[in-house]
Coordinates of all heavy atoms in Angstrom, one line a residue:
M1 N 69.4 45.4 115.3 CA 68.1 45.7 115.0 C 68.1 46.9 114.1 O 68.9 47.9 114.3 CB 67.3 46.0 116.2 CG 66.0 46.6 115.9 SD 64.8 46.6 117.3 CE 63.4 45.9 116.4
N2 N 67.3 47.0 113.1 CA 67.2 48.1 112.2 C 66.1 49.0 112.7 O 64.9 48.6 112.8 CB 66.8 47.7 110.8 CG 68.0 47.0 110.1 OD1 69.1 47.3 110.4 ND2 67.7 46.1 109.2
L3 N 66.5 50.2 113.1 CA 65.5 51.2 113.6 C 65.0 52.0 112.4 O 65.6 52.1 111.4 CB 66.2 52.2 114.6 CG 66.8 51.5 115.8 CD1 67.5 52.6 116.7 CD2 65.7 50.9 116.7
P4 N 63.8 52.6 112.6 CA 63.2 53.4 111.5 C 64.2 54.6 111.2 O 64.8 55.2 112.2 CB 61.9 53.9 112.1 CG 61.6 52.9 113.2 CD 62.9 52.4 113.7
E5 N 64.3 54.9 110.0 CA 65.2 56.0 109.6 C 64.5 57.4 109.7 O 65.1 58.4 110.0 CB 65.7 55.8 108.2 CG 66.7 54.7 108.0 CD 68.0 55.0 108.8 OE1 68.5 56.2 108.8 OE2 68.6 54.1 109.4
E6 N 63.2 57.4 109.4 CA 62.5 58.7 109.4 C 62.3 59.1 110.8 O 61.9 58.3 111.7 CB 61.1 58.4 108.7 CG 60.4 59.7 108.2 CD 59.6 60.3 109.3 OE1 59.0 59.6 110.1 OE2 59.7 61.6 109.4
P7 N 62.7 60.4 111.1 CA 62.7 60.8 112.5 C 61.4 60.7 113.3 O 61.4 60.2 114.5 CB 63.1 62.3 112.4 CG 63.9 62.4 111.2 CD 63.2 61.4 110.2
M8 N 60.3 61.0 112.7 CA 59.0 60.8 113.4 C 58.6 59.4 113.7 O 58.1 59.0 114.7 CB 57.9 61.5 112.7 CG 58.0 63.0 112.6 SD 58.3 63.8 114.3 CE 56.7 63.6 115.0
M9 N 59.0 58.5 112.8 CA 58.8 57.1 113.0 C 59.7 56.6 114.1 O 59.3 55.7 114.9 CB 59.0 56.3 111.7 CG 57.9 56.5 110.6 SD 56.3 56.0 111.2 CE 56.4 54.3 111.2
L10 N 60.9 57.0 114.1 CA 61.9 56.7 115.1 C 61.4 57.1 116.5 O 61.4 56.4 117.5 CB 63.3 57.3 114.8 CG 64.4 57.0 115.8 CD1 64.7 55.5 115.9 CD2 65.6 57.7 115.5
Y11 N 60.9 58.4 116.5 CA 60.4 58.9 117.8 C 59.2 58.1 118.3 O 59.2 57.7 119.5 CB 59.9 60.4 117.5 CG 59.0 61.0 118.5 CD1 59.6 61.5 119.7 CD2 57.7 61.1 118.3 CE1 58.8 62.1 120.7 CE2 56.8 61.7 119.3 CZ 57.4 62.2 120.5 OH 56.6 62.7 121.4
S12 N 58.3 57.7 117.5 CA 57.2 56.9 117.8 C 57.6 55.5 118.3 O 57.2 55.0 119.3 CB 56.2 56.8 116.7 OG 55.1 56.0 117.0
F13 N 58.5 54.9 117.5 CA 59.0 53.6 117.9 C 59.7 53.5 119.2 O 59.4 52.7 120.1 CB 59.9 53.1 116.7 CG 60.6 51.7 117.0 CD1 59.9 50.6 116.7 CD2 61.8 51.7 117.5 CE1 60.5 49.3 117.0 CE2 62.4 50.4 117.8 CZ 61.7 49.3 117.5
I14 N 60.6 54.5 119.4 CA 61.4 54.5 120.6 C 60.5 54.7 121.8 O 60.6 54.1 122.9 CB 62.5 55.5 120.6 CG1 63.6 55.1 119.5 CG2 63.2 55.7 121.9 CD1 64.3 53.9 119.8
N15 N 59.6 55.7 121.7 CA 58.7 56.0 122.9 C 57.8 54.8 123.2 O 57.5 54.6 124.4 CB 57.9 57.3 122.6 CG 58.7 58.5 123.1 OD1 59.7 58.4 123.8 ND2 58.3 59.7 122.7
L16 N 57.3 54.2 122.2 CA 56.5 53.0 122.4 C 57.3 51.9 123.2 O 56.8 51.4 124.2 CB 56.0 52.4 121.1 CG 55.2 51.1 121.3 CD1 53.9 51.2 120.5 CD2 56.0 49.9 120.8
K17 N 58.5 51.6 122.7 CA 59.3 50.6 123.4 C 59.6 51.1 124.8 O 59.6 50.2 125.8 CB 60.6 50.4 122.6 CG 60.4 49.7 121.3 CD 60.0 48.3 121.5 CE 60.0 47.6 120.2 NZ 59.6 46.2 120.3
L18 N 59.9 52.4 125.0 CA 60.2 52.8 126.4 C 59.0 52.7 127.3 O 59.1 52.3 128.4 CB 60.7 54.3 126.3 CG 62.1 54.5 125.7 CD1 62.4 56.0 125.6 CD2 63.2 53.9 126.6
R19 N 57.9 53.1 126.8 CA 56.6 53.0 127.6 C 56.3 51.6 127.9 O 55.9 51.3 129.1 CB 55.5 53.7 126.8 CG 54.2 53.7 127.6 CD 53.0 54.1 126.7 NE 52.7 53.0 125.7 CZ 52.4 53.3 124.5 NH1 52.3 54.5 124.0 NH2 52.1 52.2 123.7
D20 N 56.4 50.7 127.0 CA 55.8 49.3 127.2 C 56.8 48.3 127.6 O 56.4 47.2 128.2 CB 55.2 48.8 125.9 CG 53.9 49.6 125.5 OD1 53.4 50.4 126.3 OD2 53.5 49.5 124.4
F21 N 58.1 48.5 127.4 CA 59.1 47.4 127.6 C 60.4 47.7 128.4 O 61.0 46.8 128.9 CB 59.5 46.8 126.3 CG 58.4 46.2 125.5 CD1 58.0 46.9 124.3 CD2 57.7 45.1 125.8 CE1 56.9 46.5 123.6 CE2 56.7 44.6 125.1 CZ 56.3 45.3 123.9
Y22 N 60.8 49.0 128.4 CA 62.1 49.3 129.0 C 62.0 50.4 130.1 O 61.3 51.4 129.9 CB 63.1 49.7 127.9 CG 63.3 48.6 126.9 CD1 62.7 48.6 125.7 CD2 64.2 47.6 127.2 CE1 62.9 47.6 124.8 CE2 64.4 46.6 126.3 CZ 63.7 46.6 125.1 OH 63.9 45.5 124.2
P23 N 62.8 50.2 131.2 CA 62.7 51.2 132.2 C 63.6 52.4 131.9 O 63.6 53.4 132.6 CB 63.3 50.5 133.4 CG 64.2 49.4 132.8 CD 63.5 49.0 131.5
S24 N 64.5 52.3 130.9 CA 65.4 53.5 130.5 C 65.8 53.3 129.1 O 65.8 52.3 128.5 CB 66.6 53.5 131.5 OG 67.4 52.3 131.2
L25 N 66.3 54.4 128.6 CA 66.9 54.4 127.2 C 68.2 53.5 127.2 O 68.4 52.8 126.2 CB 67.3 55.8 126.8 CG 67.8 56.0 125.4 CD1 66.9 55.5 124.3 CD2 68.1 57.5 125.1
D26 N 68.9 53.5 128.3 CA 70.1 52.7 128.3 C 69.7 51.2 128.2 O 70.4 50.4 127.5 CB 70.9 52.9 129.6 CG 71.6 54.2 129.6 OD1 72.1 54.7 128.5 OD2 71.7 54.8 130.7
A27 N 68.7 50.8 128.9 CA 68.2 49.4 128.9 C 67.7 49.0 127.5 O 68.0 47.9 127.0 CB 67.1 49.2 129.9
L28 N 67.0 49.9 126.8 CA 66.5 49.7 125.4 C 67.7 49.5 124.5 O 67.8 48.5 123.7 CB 65.7 50.9 125.0 CG 65.1 50.8 123.6 CD1 63.8 51.5 123.5 CD2 66.1 51.4 122.6
C29 N 68.7 50.4 124.6 CA 69.8 50.4 123.7 C 70.7 49.1 123.9 O 71.1 48.5 122.9 CB 70.7 51.6 123.8 SG 69.9 53.1 123.2
E30 N 70.8 48.7 125.1 CA 71.6 47.5 125.4 C 70.9 46.3 124.9 O 71.5 45.4 124.3 CB 71.8 47.4 126.9 CG 72.7 46.2 127.3 CD 72.9 46.1 128.8 OE1 73.1 47.1 129.4 OE2 73.0 44.9 129.3
D31 N 69.6 46.2 125.2 CA 68.8 45.0 124.7 C 68.7 44.9 123.2 O 68.8 43.8 122.7 CB 67.4 45.0 125.4 CG 66.7 43.8 125.1 OD1 67.2 42.7 125.4 OD2 65.5 43.8 124.7
L32 N 68.5 46.0 122.5 CA 68.3 46.0 121.1 C 69.7 46.1 120.3 O 69.7 46.1 119.1 CB 67.4 47.1 120.6 CG 66.0 47.1 121.2 CD1 65.1 48.2 120.7 CD2 65.3 45.7 120.8
D33 N 70.7 46.3 121.1 CA 72.1 46.5 120.5 C 72.1 47.6 119.5 O 72.5 47.4 118.3 CB 72.6 45.2 119.9 CG 74.1 45.2 119.6 OD1 74.8 45.9 120.3 OD2 74.5 44.5 118.6
V34 N 71.7 48.8 120.0 CA 71.7 50.0 119.1 C 72.5 51.1 119.8 O 72.6 51.1 121.1 CB 70.2 50.5 118.8 CG1 69.5 49.5 117.9 CG2 69.4 50.8 120.0
D35 N 72.9 52.1 119.1 CA 73.8 53.1 119.6 C 72.9 54.3 120.2 O 72.1 54.9 119.5 CB 74.6 53.7 118.5 CG 75.6 54.8 118.9 OD1 76.0 54.7 120.1 OD2 75.9 55.6 118.1
K36 N 73.0 54.5 121.5 CA 72.2 55.5 122.2 C 72.5 56.9 121.6 O 71.6 57.6 121.4 CB 72.5 55.4 123.7 CG 71.9 56.5 124.5 CD 72.3 56.4 125.9 CE 71.7 57.6 126.7 NZ 72.1 57.5 128.1
E37 N 73.8 57.2 121.4 CA 74.1 58.5 120.9 C 73.5 58.8 119.5 O 73.2 59.9 119.2 CB 75.6 58.7 120.9 CG 76.2 58.7 122.3 CD 75.6 59.6 123.3 OE1 75.3 60.8 122.9 OE2 75.3 59.2 124.4
D38 N 73.4 57.8 118.7 CA 72.9 57.9 117.4 C 71.4 58.3 117.5 O 70.9 59.2 116.8 CB 73.1 56.6 116.6 CG 72.7 56.8 115.1 OD1 73.0 57.8 114.5 OD2 72.0 55.9 114.6
I39 N 70.7 57.6 118.4 CA 69.2 57.9 118.6 C 69.0 59.3 119.1 O 68.2 60.0 118.6 CB 68.6 56.8 119.6 CG1 68.6 55.4 118.9 CG2 67.2 57.2 120.0 CD1 68.2 54.3 119.8
V40 N 69.8 59.6 120.1 CA 69.7 60.9 120.8 C 70.0 62.0 119.7 O 69.3 63.0 119.6 CB 70.6 61.1 122.0 CG1 70.7 62.5 122.5 CG2 70.2 60.1 123.1
R41 N 71.0 61.8 118.9 CA 71.4 62.8 117.9 C 70.3 63.0 116.9 O 69.9 64.1 116.5 CB 72.7 62.4 117.2 CG 73.2 63.4 116.2 CD 74.5 62.9 115.5 NE 74.5 61.5 115.1 CZ 73.9 61.0 114.1 NH1 73.2 61.8 113.3 NH2 74.0 59.7 113.8
K42 N 69.8 61.9 116.3 CA 68.8 61.9 115.3 C 67.5 62.6 115.8 O 66.9 63.4 115.1 CB 68.4 60.5 114.8 CG 69.5 59.9 113.9 CD 69.1 58.6 113.5 CE 70.1 58.0 112.6 NZ 69.8 56.6 112.2
L43 N 67.1 62.3 117.0 CA 65.9 62.9 117.6 C 66.1 64.3 118.0 O 65.2 65.2 117.9 CB 65.3 62.0 118.7 CG 64.8 60.7 118.2 CD1 64.3 59.8 119.4 CD2 63.7 60.8 117.2
K44 N 67.3 64.7 118.5 CA 67.6 66.1 118.9 C 67.5 67.0 117.6 O 67.1 68.1 117.7 CB 68.9 66.2 119.6 CG 69.2 67.5 120.1 CD 70.4 67.5 121.0 CE 70.5 68.9 121.7 NZ 71.4 68.9 122.8
A45 N 68.0 66.4 116.5 CA 68.0 67.2 115.2 C 66.6 67.7 114.8 O 66.5 68.6 114.1 CB 68.6 66.4 114.1
V46 N 65.6 67.0 115.3 CA 64.2 67.4 114.9 C 63.4 67.9 116.2 O 62.2 68.0 116.1 CB 63.4 66.2 114.2 CG1 64.0 65.9 112.9 CG2 63.3 65.0 115.1
G47 N 64.2 68.2 117.2 CA 63.6 68.9 118.3 C 63.2 68.1 119.5 O 62.6 68.6 120.5
F48 N 63.5 66.8 119.6 CA 63.2 66.0 120.7 C 64.4 65.7 121.6 O 65.5 65.5 121.1 CB 62.6 64.6 120.2 CG 61.3 64.8 119.5 CD1 61.3 64.5 118.1 CD2 60.1 65.2 120.1 CE1 60.1 64.6 117.4 CE2 59.0 65.3 119.4 CZ 58.9 65.0 118.0
E49 N 64.1 65.7 122.9 CA 65.1 65.4 123.9 C 64.6 64.3 124.8 O 63.4 64.3 125.1 CB 65.6 66.6 124.7 CG 66.3 67.6 123.8 CD 66.9 68.8 124.7 OE1 67.2 68.5 125.9 OE2 67.0 69.9 124.2
Y50 N 65.5 63.5 125.3 CA 65.2 62.4 126.2 C 65.0 63.0 127.6 O 65.9 63.7 128.1 CB 66.2 61.3 126.2 CG 65.9 60.2 127.1 CD1 64.8 59.4 126.9 CD2 66.7 59.9 128.2 CE1 64.5 58.3 127.8 CE2 66.4 58.8 129.1 CZ 65.3 58.0 128.8 OH 65.0 57.0 129.7
N51 N 63.9 62.6 128.3 CA 63.7 63.0 129.7 C 63.8 61.7 130.5 O 62.8 60.9 130.5 CB 62.3 63.6 129.8 CG 62.0 64.1 131.2 OD1 62.4 63.4 132.2 ND2 61.3 65.2 131.4
P52 N 64.9 61.5 131.2 CA 65.0 60.2 132.0 C 63.9 60.1 133.1 O 63.5 59.0 133.4 CB 66.4 60.3 132.6 CG 67.0 61.5 132.1 CD 66.0 62.3 131.3
A53 N 63.5 61.2 133.7 CA 62.5 61.1 134.7 C 61.1 60.6 134.2 O 60.4 59.8 134.9 CB 62.3 62.5 135.4
K54 N 60.8 60.9 133.0 CA 59.6 60.5 132.3 C 59.8 59.3 131.4 O 58.9 58.7 130.9 CB 58.9 61.6 131.6 CG 58.5 62.7 132.5 CD 57.6 63.7 131.7 CE 57.2 64.9 132.5 NZ 56.0 64.6 133.3
N55 N 61.1 58.9 131.2 CA 61.5 57.8 130.3 C 60.8 57.9 129.0 O 60.2 57.0 128.5 CB 61.2 56.5 131.0 CG 61.8 55.3 130.2 OD1 62.9 55.5 129.7 ND2 61.2 54.2 130.1
R56 N 61.0 59.1 128.4 CA 60.5 59.3 127.0 C 61.2 60.5 126.4 O 61.8 61.3 127.0 CB 59.0 59.5 127.0 CG 58.5 60.8 127.6 CD 57.0 60.9 127.6 NE 56.7 62.2 128.1 CZ 55.6 62.9 127.7 NH1 54.8 62.4 126.8 NH2 55.3 64.0 128.2
F57 N 61.1 60.5 125.0 CA 61.5 61.7 124.3 C 60.3 62.6 124.2 O 59.2 62.2 124.0 CB 62.0 61.3 122.9 CG 63.4 60.7 122.9 CD1 63.6 59.4 123.1 CD2 64.5 61.5 122.7 CE1 64.9 58.8 123.1 CE2 65.7 61.0 122.7 CZ 66.0 59.7 122.9
W58 N 60.6 63.9 124.2 CA 59.6 64.9 124.0 C 60.2 66.2 123.6 O 61.3 66.5 123.6 CB 58.7 65.1 125.2 CG 59.3 65.5 126.5 CD1 60.5 65.1 126.9 CD2 58.8 66.3 127.5 NE1 60.8 65.6 128.2 CE2 59.7 66.4 128.5 CE3 57.6 67.0 127.6 CZ2 59.5 67.1 129.7 CZ3 57.4 67.7 128.8 CH2 58.3 67.8 129.8

């Protein structure tokens, strides 16, 4: 799957998927066949971190 390249679009896309379809970032990455570390790195670069307890980036 091609994820949005622009960080704010990626942030919005990932959080929407986590909220509506996936119980964890690991489940999302496995199902969509995307690299978790790549997502975490891109979003961390613009100030967002994943919170597993809330299952979202913020």
Side-chain angles (χ1 to χ4, degrees):
M1 165 166 235
N2 290 331
L3 297 176
E5 288 295 321
E6 198 277 318
M8 292 307 291
M9 292 297 292
L10 178 63
Y11 166 78
S12 179
F13 176 83
I14 294 295
N15 274 346
L16 175 130
K17 292 290 189 181
L18 289 171
R19 182 190 70 220
D20 294 346
F21 302 106
Y22 297 101
S24 70
L25 182 58
D26 288 326
L28 178 147
C29 292
E30 183 178 327
D31 188 51
L32 299 180
D33 193 29
V34 295
D35 182 31
K36 176 183 174 181
E37 296 307 315
D38 188 46
I39 293 170
V40 170
R41 180 181 47 76
K42 285 179 180 177
L43 292 178
K44 187 171 188 165
V46 293
F48 296 111
E49 291 188 30
Y50 180 64
N51 181 325
K54 295 189 181 274
N55 191 34
R56 68 179 183 149
F57 280 88
W58 60 324

